[in-house]
Amino acid sequence: DQQRKFLLEFWEGFDENLTNNKRRFLDVWGKLFNLYQTFRSQLEAEGLAYEGMVHRMVAEKISSGRATYQKPEQLKFVGFNALTKAEEVILSYFVDHGSQIIWDADDYYVNNERQEAGNFFREYQKHKVLGKTFPTSFSSNFRKKKSVRVLGAAQPVGQAKLMGQILEEELKKGMIPEDTLIVLPDEKLLMPVLYGIPPTVDKLNVTMGYSLSNTSFFNLLELLVELQIGKRKDHFHHRQVLAILSHPYVIAADPVTANSKRKEILKHNWIHVPQSFLATTLDIHRVVFDTMDEGLLAYLTLVIKEIGSLESVMDLDKEYAFQFVKLINRVQQVMGNSAQPVNSNDKEYRKSLKSFLRLVRQLVRLQKIPFSGEPLKGLQVMGVLETRNLDFKNVFVLSLNEGAFPSFGGKGSYIPFNIRKAYGLPTTEHQDAIYAYLFYRVLQRAENVFLFYNTETDQLGQGEKSRYLQQLMFESGLEIEPQVLHNPVKPTPVNPIIIKKTETVLEALAKLNTGTPRFQGISPSAINSYLECRLKFYFRYVARIHEPNEVEDDMDARVLGNFVHKVMEKFYKNLAAKKRNNLVESGDFVSAESTIEKLMDEAFIDTYNLEPGKKVDYEGQSVVVRKMVKQFASRILEQDKRLAPFTIEAIEQEGLLHTMKINHTPGFVVIGGKIDRVDRKENMVRIVDYKTGGDSLEFASIEALFERKPKRNKAAFQTLLYAFLFNSNRPIADADVLVPGLIDRNYLFGDSSDFGLTIKRERIVDARPLLVEFKERLTSLLEEVFNPDKDFDQTTITENCKFCPYKNICYR
């Protein structure tokens, strides 16, 4: 009746609203039995079987009365716990014919209904045949006096470290390694545990498998497939290339070559790295960055064998290599000709590589490396299942957290829970009972027990202390010594950072005047940084703390601006070279659109060090950036066409330096900058700064540009500083006017096309009268920069810290 209830609960949903998914489900289930029968008959014909099939065949032979096994009275069945239906039939037959069963159990959980560890024993005690094999009473070893210590540590590796320390202490007190067992429910902890075992333990036996998915080889295998997925023609994507060049095995082959190639890629900002640069004469690089002429599986095998033959890799790594070659050979057998090489630039082929990677990930997770050793000597390290029927005086159990011991749920099955329940197939309840038994059984005869758990749950709050551990602490009645290893929380006080202008700092500051390959004098950007935050100025320009080199392929606003600058620079420099003069006329814009497209390709080639002359393939974000750059550049040239004729006085003008006297050492300051563009229309000289954003043209006063306040107009300050530098180097005639301004999004796409800055909402028709006060305030600011009594300190405007690269230093 109970079975019928479970089945009805499951199938009643199929009686109404029979959807397509339900029909497909029923269709598959209608074929499963025929599929099973056909598969089994084919295996029998070939003399093959899987484990469950062998058990079933023996049980069916017994049930049909065809069993004729010799001398069954000589057989003993020892240490069984959870029997399958077939095993029940087999054991019952042999018991009826004189065989003996020895159950390994304890009174604590067999005779206590609340303990799931004894579920199976209580069930078999009622069995008409197996029940006769149970003793009248079980021994009560579990309740005997034990030393039980429960130890919590942060993170799994913290458990391994703590276990190693306690093991070392106990060995010094006389603990015998042969009497000692370490149980690892989480196989990923095997390596941390092995490294944590004290060096005084000279003999060790590992009786558990180690998943290939936890090895460095698996990580390399993933990177190799991803490398081929990201390949475009004869270029590889930088992310996989840099990861592979940093991989321990590739570093082990030749660290100098690997690091030098990394530096070159970062230096040239290669997003797509040429294969010719990577596949050099070094064997490992030649093989890794190969063309896969023989197919993906042959390529992977070749790389693994090459690494496995390196003298610098350990024996354990060579074992990993051997296991992966076996795995790939197995995949080759299954896939056959489908693993042959295909055009690597084909999108369908790249999809097939992604599918292949998913398949390999599934296979690797199932594959384990078997460790072997001397089981009768030294310290023993085992998985949970391997502890069956073995007793140790000293037991260390790690990972006593939900999800590890016991693990979450069971293995995925096509058979739904209700159907499994109805037909007596194993469910998660069975699994919990099995692991509960294994937990109590390994402890029942131990004298010294050390139980470890992770004190930190995951992000979802899962992974708390194991239910078995909780039961032991609150139900067993054993004296338990709890201990939690923790680091006391001592927040480091966030003190203000103040840099005194010592002699060393002043010397470094003075070097800004001399100019370096990176800085020519103090730039407008540097002065803006000083006004934003004195400490930021110190970090970047005095201490020269630079951000780490990375290949930049994110198309942010700065990248967009750089492309616009390059396209406009190339357009007007090419035009001047072609005409041999700087005059720009309306006829010069006839083929502007095609010219812009050509210049954009050149800018991409220059920026990302692509091969000159080859067609640029735009993908992903670069398609968007290309469209936006074209839109900006086209709009600029439309405005310029309306302005024509005019003369280009300077384009991306460098070397505009101005020396200002100050009252502090070294007595002068050199400021310099690079002006995007200077043009002349009749008597008007325009100082142009390209901006792809929507910066404001308005400012209240010259004084406001030097004030440390939120939303200070940095763009206006920078443009006026360019005007000051240009006027200092190339003074214009009295009859002319100097107009600084921005060509930005508002100017190009807004309602007004008036050029120039505004002060108190009045457009500046000539900036020269303002430059007198600007120079005074600039001199005063530079006096402050070099004043030895004025420290470099943090800004009080925390809004400026939001995107500062040094905010992690300041804890802002």
Side-chain angles (χ1 to χ4, degrees):
D1 291 337
Q2 192 178 24
Q3 287 178 306
R4 287 192 182 92
K5 181 184 175 184
F6 282 121
L7 287 173
L8 284 170
E9 284 177 358
F10 178 76
W11 289 111
E12 66 184 3
F14 287 81
D15 293 336
E16 52 188 36
N17 300 324
L18 198 61
T19 63
N20 287 334
N21 281 337
K22 290 179 180 178
R23 286 193 183 93
R24 283 197 292 269
F25 180 84
L26 291 172
D27 183 53
V28 172
W29 269 85
K31 298 172 181 175
L32 281 180
F33 185 62
N34 288 335
L35 180 67
Y36 165 73
Q37 285 185 314
T38 306
F39 180 54
R40 179 170 168 172
S41 61
Q42 287 180 358
L43 289 176
E44 286 178 349
E46 296 184 35
L48 299 172
Y50 50 90
E51 186 180 7
M53 179 177 162
V54 172
H55 291 181
R56 182 166 188 156
M57 289 172 69
V58 174
E60 287 173 345
K61 193 173 181 181
I62 289 170
S63 299
S64 63
R66 295 180 289 116
T68 53
Y69 297 104
Q70 302 296 320
K71 299 180 181 180
E73 68 278 358
Q74 294 183 359
L75 283 177
K76 288 183 172 64
F77 294 88
V78 182
F80 280 82
N81 173 32
L83 303 174
T84 64
K85 295 299 180 185
E87 288 170 341
E88 264 189 52
V89 172
I90 295 168
L91 265 68
S92 297
Y93 168 83
F94 281 97
V95 168
D96 276 340
H97 290 77
S99 296
Q100 185 180 357
I101 297 181
I102 301 170
W103 304 98
D104 186 5
D106 192 273
D107 174 73
Y108 173 73
Y109 49 83
V110 172
N111 296 318
N112 185 344
E113 293 286 341
R114 292 182 302 174
Q115 297 294 337
E116 68 265 45
N119 282 357
F120 294 105
F121 296 113
R122 291 190 289 272
E123 182 183 331
Y124 302 145
Q125 281 177 326
K126 300 172 185 175
H127 195 280
K128 64 180 181 180
V129 177
L130 300 180
K132 296 180 291 185
T133 64
F134 280 81
T136 54
S137 64
F138 283 98
S139 58
S140 187
N141 293 306
F142 188 80
R143 291 188 184 276
K144 288 181 180 177
K145 185 172 176 61
K146 305 178 190 295
S147 168
V148 182
R149 292 175 64 184
V150 175
L151 303 116
Q155 299 301 326
V157 175
Q159 297 176 58
K161 186 74 175 172
L162 179 59
M163 185 278 301
Q165 292 175 356
I166 292 175
L167 177 61
E168 187 171 19
E169 293 169 5
E170 295 298 322
L171 289 170
K172 288 177 181 177
K173 295 176 185 177
M175 181 181 283
I176 300 171
E178 281 75 13
D179 294 339
T180 305
L181 167 68
I182 299 173
V183 184
L184 296 183
D186 183 359
E187 64 186 18
K188 293 194 288 292
L189 274 184
L190 178 59
M191 287 305 163
V193 164
L194 291 180
Y195 284 115
I197 290 173
T200 52
V201 177
D202 57 345
K203 291 182 180 175
L204 186 71
N205 180 47
V206 178
T207 313
M208 63 182 295
Y210 185 62
S211 175
L212 283 179
S213 63
N214 296 329
T215 65
S216 297
F217 255 110
F218 177 52
N219 172 247
L220 179 62
L221 196 76
E222 287 183 304
L223 287 172
L224 291 173
V225 179
E226 288 171 358
L227 178 78
Q228 299 298 337
I229 292 172
K231 185 180 180 184
R232 298 295 183 272
K233 295 182 180 178
D234 53 355
H235 285 69
F236 295 105
H237 197 273
H238 73 276
R239 282 201 183 94
Q240 289 80 35
V241 170
L242 291 175
I244 288 172
L245 290 174
S246 302
H247 197 278
Y249 292 139
V250 179
I251 292 286
D254 191 330
V256 175
T257 305
N259 287 327
S260 65
K261 284 185 177 178
R262 279 179 53 81
K263 287 179 182 177
E264 280 294 305
I265 294 167
L266 294 171
K267 175 184 174 184
H268 294 299
N269 198 43
W270 271 330
I271 288 181
H272 299 286
V273 188
Q275 185 178 355
S276 57
F277 168 77
L278 295 166
T280 53
T281 53
L282 192 66
D283 287 342
I284 186 68
H285 290 188
R286 178 178 51 78
V287 171
V288 167
F289 302 108
D290 198 6
T291 53
M292 288 202 315
D293 292 334
E294 301 298 322
L296 178 63
L297 296 178
Y299 161 73
L300 295 175
T301 304
L302 195 62
V303 174
I304 292 168
K305 286 182 176 178
E306 182 65 35
I307 292 172
S309 65
L310 293 173
E311 294 181 4
S312 51
V313 300
M314 295 168 28
D315 290 342
L316 190 58
D317 295 302
K318 292 180 180 180
E319 176 64 23
Y320 298 156
F322 174 69
Q323 295 293 335
F324 268 104
V325 169
K326 282 174 59 178
L327 176 69
I328 290 174
N329 287 342
R330 177 64 182 143
V331 174
Q332 178 74 62
Q333 290 176 350
V334 173
M335 295 181 70
N337 292 330
S338 63
Q340 294 305 309
V342 188
N343 179 12
S344 61
N345 295 307
D346 182 54
K347 288 184 179 179
E348 290 302 316
Y349 178 62
R350 290 201 290 272
K351 283 183 182 177
S352 71
L353 286 182
K354 292 177 182 177
S355 300
F356 171 80
L357 185 57
R358 285 195 293 271
L359 171 66
V360 169
R361 281 171 176 156
Q362 289 178 12
L363 292 173
V364 168
R365 289 189 186 103
L366 298 174
Q367 199 79 10
K368 296 185 186 295
I369 302 169
F371 286 91
S372 59
E374 174 50 64
L376 301 179
K377 291 183 181 178
L379 183 72
Q380 304 293 310
V381 180
M382 297 183 180
V384 175
L385 295 175
E386 288 77 16
T387 63
R388 288 171 292 190
N389 301 335
L390 299 174
D391 291 307
F392 292 85
K393 184 178 178 180
N394 313 300
V395 176
F396 293 75
V397 186
L398 280 76
S399 304
L400 277 166
N401 291 83
E402 291 294 315
F405 194 7
S407 59
F408 284 129
K411 293 181 179 177
S413 171
Y414 195 80
I415 305 174
F417 173 82
N418 289 57
I419 293 179
R420 299 180 74 87
K421 188 83 172 173
Y423 288 99
L425 296 172
T427 62
T428 53
E429 295 164 1
H430 288 75
Q431 180 177 306
D432 284 351
I434 290 169
Y435 278 89
Y437 166 70
L438 293 170
F439 174 71
Y440 286 105
R441 203 223 63 78
V442 78
L443 303 184
Q444 64 192 26
R445 297 183 185 91
E447 297 178 15
N448 301 300
V449 179
F450 304 87
L451 306 173
F452 298 83
Y453 67 95
N454 179 12
T455 56
E456 294 187 10
T457 58
D458 64 16
Q459 293 91 333
L460 300 176
Q462 297 177 335
E464 67 269 21
K465 199 182 294 182
S466 169
R467 74 192 80 161
Y468 302 152
L469 186 54
Q470 301 273 23
Q471 289 168 6
L472 187 73
M473 295 172 69
F474 297 109
E475 297 176 359
S476 68
L478 296 172
E479 287 188 23
I480 293 176
E481 179 188 345
Q483 180 184 348
V484 177
L485 183 71
H486 70 283
N487 294 321
V489 178
K490 294 180 180 178
T492 304
V494 181
N495 297 319
I497 301 175
I498 298 173
I499 305 297
K500 299 286 185 183
K501 288 180 181 171
T502 62
E503 188 175 338
T504 305
V505 172
L506 289 171
E507 286 176 3
L509 194 58
K511 288 179 181 177
L512 294 179
N513 285 331
T514 59
T516 67
R518 183 167 179 178
F519 304 112
Q520 292 293 327
I522 299 180
S523 66
S525 297
I527 298 172
N528 260 329
S529 289
Y530 185 82
L531 285 167
E532 277 185 19
C533 176
R534 298 182 185 91
L535 189 64
K536 178 181 177 181
F537 173 84
Y538 168 78
F539 284 148
R540 175 169 288 172
Y541 299 99
V542 183
R544 305 287 173 87
I545 300 174
H546 302 148
E547 296 170 64
N549 280 337
E550 291 180 355
V551 175
E552 296 178 2
D553 61 344
D554 287 334
M555 303 299 179
D556 56 15
R558 183 175 54 82
V559 173
L560 174 64
N562 289 341
F563 278 121
V564 170
H565 279 74
K566 286 183 179 180
V567 168
M568 297 313 303
E569 177 186 4
K570 286 175 178 287
F571 182 89
Y572 281 113
K573 282 189 175 179
N574 291 350
L575 182 64
K578 180 181 176 182
K579 296 180 67 175
R580 296 187 179 180
N581 62 59
N582 294 329
L583 180 64
V584 179
E585 300 168 293
S586 57
D588 296 329
F589 301 97
V590 173
S591 57
E593 188 170 339
S594 60
T595 304
I596 287 172
E597 291 185 354
K598 178 173 174 288
L599 295 177
M600 279 192 297
D601 288 348
E602 291 178 11
F604 267 82
I605 290 169
D606 292 344
T607 302
Y608 299 119
N609 282 278
L610 305 179
E611 191 172 335
K614 279 200 172 186
K615 184 184 176 184
V616 180
D617 291 323
Y618 294 93
E619 294 182 339
Q621 289 180 322
S622 62
V623 176
V624 179
V625 169
R626 183 176 185 270
K627 187 173 182 179
M628 292 180 70
V629 171
K630 182 179 179 181
Q631 198 173 16
F632 265 93
S634 299
R635 194 70 175 162
I636 290 171
L637 294 183
E638 284 177 20
Q639 296 283 20
D640 287 351
K641 186 177 181 181
R642 294 192 190 99
L643 183 68
F646 62 90
T647 305
I648 293 290
E649 297 283 319
I651 193 82
E652 298 295 332
Q653 177 72 57
E654 293 182 300
L656 294 177
L657 304 177
H658 180 71
T659 303
M660 305 182 73
K661 291 184 179 181
I662 58 172
N663 296 321
H664 303 292
T665 306
F668 67 95
V669 180
V670 178
I671 57 173
K674 181 179 179 181
I675 301 177
D676 294 344
R677 168 174 153 186
V678 181
D679 59 42
R680 174 187 284 272
K681 173 73 173 179
E682 298 170 350
N683 73 322
M684 180 175 68
V685 178
R686 299 195 312 172
I687 307 296
V688 178
D689 196 16
Y690 295 123
K691 298 286 185 186
T692 52
D695 297 87
S696 173
L697 302 173
E698 168 70 19
F699 61 99
S701 63
I702 296 295
E703 181 184 6
L705 296 178
F706 288 85
E707 290 177 343
R708 291 183 169 91
K709 288 184 177 180
K711 298 182 180 179
R712 183 181 66 88
N713 196 329
K714 295 186 289 184
F717 172 85
Q718 193 163 322
T719 310
L720 274 173
L721 185 50
Y722 287 144
F724 171 75
L725 285 171
F726 183 81
N727 192 56
S728 301
N729 283 265
R730 294 165 59 178
I732 62 176
D734 292 341
D736 295 334
V737 293
L738 187 66
V739 181
L742 306 176
I743 290 184
D744 64 352
R745 190 175 63 223
N746 294 330
Y747 175 75
L748 296 173
F749 303 102
D751 296 332
S752 172
S753 59
D754 292 334
F755 179 85
L757 303 175
T758 59
I759 182 168
K760 295 179 181 178
R761 300 189 180 182
E762 292 290 331
R763 193 159 301 280
I764 299 172
V765 293
D766 189 358
R768 285 179 296 178
L770 300 175
L771 295 182
V772 177
E773 182 184 354
F774 187 88
K775 181 180 180 180
E776 290 174 359
R777 295 192 177 279
L778 181 61
T779 304
S780 176
L781 181 69
L782 295 172
E783 290 274 5
E784 180 187 306
V785 173
F786 285 83
N787 186 346
D789 298 325
K790 191 68 175 177
D791 303 327
F792 291 114
D793 55 9
Q794 296 161 296
T795 179
T796 56
I797 305 169
T798 54
E799 188 180 329
N800 293 345
C801 305
K802 194 172 181 180
F803 300 106
C804 177
Y806 308 104
K807 63 181 179 181
N808 290 332
I809 299 176
C810 301
Y811 295 102
R812 287 292 184 92

